[in-house]
Amino acid sequence: MQNIYMTGGAMTAFGRHPGVLAPELAQQAILKAMDDAGVAPGDIQAVYCANVLGGMILGQLIVRDLGFKGIPVYNVENACASGATGVHLARHAMLAGQYDTVLVFGIEQLTTLGGGTIPMQRNDHKTDLYARAGMVLPAVYAMRGTRFLHERDAKPADLAAVAVKNRRHGTLNEFAQQRTETTVEEVLASRMIADPLTLLQCCPSQVDGAAAVVLSTRRPDQARAVKVLSSVVVSGIREEADDDILDAEITARAARQAYEQAGLGPDDVDVVELHDAFTIAELLYYEALGLAPRGDAVALLKSGATRLGGRVPVNPSGGLLAKGHPLGATGVAQMVEVMWHLQGRAGARQVEGAKVGLTQCTGGGIAGVDHAASSVHLLGV
């Protein structure tokens, strides 16, 4: 199979960017990623723009003034998995021989929405049970958290410990929105959002950000060239009435396919960036990704294995809990972060000796399925 390389990547700081429009924010990441890859607009054969809430033809609007000469621009929306889906689609086109070098970027500007939770379904209030009931994602994850505490004999402090770890990692990341440490006691004392999830157990909802990568079939002149070893995007399967809300079936299925595609297993992974929109999600994904056997997620966390310096650091960027979650940008930013670790460019949060990294991003909520979409990518040097 043709090798696909990540030849450059960049992101903006995640946070509030008052007075900066979405096109300008995206252009900052795009130009830095292209400079990192050593390419000019004339070298790019296609552009993939990932965004959820920015409106029609956003990609064309963003690249209009950057010197691209009429190349195809694809606008990709797949909820929180949009950025990862953009990389997946670009890779497919490159494997088919359609392009040699492409640009993929994600952009979201959530501070313009006025705050509050993001609806699970904006367009289907008649036919989707969740949408009709006014369900929001914090409530969905709170139900998972409640079941987890009951079934696994876990404590609320075990959930809070995820936020403590990731906020500690975030203090080392200049791109993270939240850069202060916290304690288990502070996490549990923060305002209740959806029992048992408190405010500090939920990713910030007021955040803007952009990230971009350049992909190429041409091996870059780099000592540690990063390959896309596997790329998987799957959709949710209609569940029966007795489905297990702790199963994370869609992510487990995507992970199995990604490992098989790369010829690797969970024990080969050195660093992970996963979709910790809520603390309970990280614990469930430990098991879905094969980092821990079923029932051992809390034990893995308590062992220190997923902290910086541990066996398989998870979310050294601070994850969504500290870095923030600008929807369309998240999946791309995860890959930029892992690329930096594989190349030894992650600064104070560097995972030493990392050779294989994994990114995982789920997206969307629909009644009757685990998630609407899930993506898993493996990158390696």
Side-chain angles (χ1 to χ4, degrees):
M1 184 179 290
Q2 173 72 59
N3 285 328
I4 307 297
Y5 297 94
M6 290 182 62
T7 60
M11 69 179 84
T12 68
F14 284 11
R16 294 175 181 269
H17 293 267
V20 179
L21 299 178
E24 181 183 349
L25 197 62
Q27 288 165 5
Q28 292 175 18
I30 290 169
L31 293 175
K32 288 179 181 177
M34 291 175 61
D35 182 65
D36 191 43
V39 297
D43 300 315
I44 302 295
Q45 297 167 307
V47 173
Y48 293 76
C49 168
N51 178 263
V52 180
L53 300 170
M56 293 189 298
I57 59 169
L58 182 62
Q60 286 88 338
L61 178 65
I62 287 169
V63 304
R64 175 188 58 191
D65 301 322
L66 295 182
F68 297 104
K69 302 298 183 183
I71 60 175
V73 176
Y74 303 98
N75 291 287
V76 180
E77 186 276 303
N78 210 12
C80 304
S82 296
T85 301
V87 171
H88 179 75
L89 294 174
R91 178 176 178 268
H92 264 277
M94 297 169 79
L95 290 175
Q98 195 165 4
Y99 310 120
D100 293 320
T101 303
V102 303
L103 169 72
V104 184
F105 68 91
I107 170 68
E108 209 72 54
Q109 203 167 34
L110 296 179
T111 59
T112 63
L113 301 182
T117 59
I118 297 171
M120 295 180 67
Q121 286 294 317
R122 298 172 70 88
N123 305 315
D124 196 14
H125 285 82
K126 292 184 178 180
T127 62
D128 188 82
L129 178 63
Y130 278 0
R132 200 161 64 239
M135 184 69 76
V136 292
L137 281 172
V140 172
Y141 279 94
M143 288 189 286
R144 291 172 176 155
T146 298
R147 187 68 187 177
F148 187 89
L149 295 180
H150 168 73
E151 223 175 85
R152 306 295 174 79
D153 195 27
K155 308 298 181 188
D158 297 326
L159 301 180
V162 175
V164 172
K165 172 182 74 72
N166 291 353
R167 286 284 288 262
R168 183 178 296 125
H169 289 173
T171 65
L172 304 174
N173 184 2
E174 64 271 29
F175 297 97
Q177 183 179 32
Q178 305 294 333
R179 299 198 61 194
T180 57
E181 291 197 40
T182 189
T183 66
V184 167
E185 293 74 23
E186 289 169 340
V187 172
L188 294 176
S190 62
R191 177 165 55 91
M192 186 61 70
I193 299 299
D195 193 10
L197 300 178
T198 59
L199 180 65
L200 294 182
Q201 297 186 63
C202 308
C203 65
S205 62
Q206 288 291 287
V207 58
D208 308 327
V213 295
V214 176
L215 303 177
S216 182
T217 59
R218 303 186 180 110
R219 192 185 197 285
D221 184 20
Q222 296 170 342
R224 297 175 69 83
V226 175
K227 296 179 187 177
V228 181
L229 301 177
S230 63
S231 174
V232 171
V233 174
V234 297
S235 297
I237 298 171
R238 181 77 185 189
E239 297 171 334
E240 301 300 327
D242 59 351
D243 66 282
D244 182 354
I245 63 173
L246 302 184
D247 190 30
E249 183 278 333
I250 188 173
T251 291
R253 178 159 41 95
R256 288 193 300 269
Q257 294 181 24
Y259 289 135
E260 181 179 358
Q261 193 179 105
L264 299 171
D267 290 343
D268 297 306
V269 175
D270 300 309
V271 58
V272 175
E273 283 286 316
L274 60 73
H275 194 261
D276 62 322
F278 304 91
T279 52
I280 179 59
E282 179 162 324
L283 293 172
L284 295 181
Y285 294 146
Y286 286 172
E287 299 178 7
L289 296 173
L291 304 178
R294 183 176 174 85
D296 284 358
V298 171
L300 181 71
L301 177 68
K302 287 183 174 180
S303 75
T306 59
R307 294 198 303 261
L308 278 169
R311 175 175 59 80
V312 55
V314 173
N315 288 326
S317 69
L320 281 57
L321 288 168
K323 189 172 63 179
H325 183 24
L327 311 178
T330 290
V332 181
Q334 288 178 328
M335 295 188 200
V336 174
E337 176 74 16
V338 168
M339 181 188 76
W340 285 341
H341 284 279
L342 298 181
Q343 293 181 329
R345 296 198 285 160
R349 62 189 185 280
Q350 177 67 47
V351 175
E352 297 299 333
K355 294 182 178 179
V356 175
L358 181 150
T359 67
Q360 174 268 338
C361 214
T362 54
I366 305 174
V369 300
D370 178 9
H371 279 282
S374 185
S375 66
V376 173
H377 286 75
L378 285 163
L379 309 177
V381 292

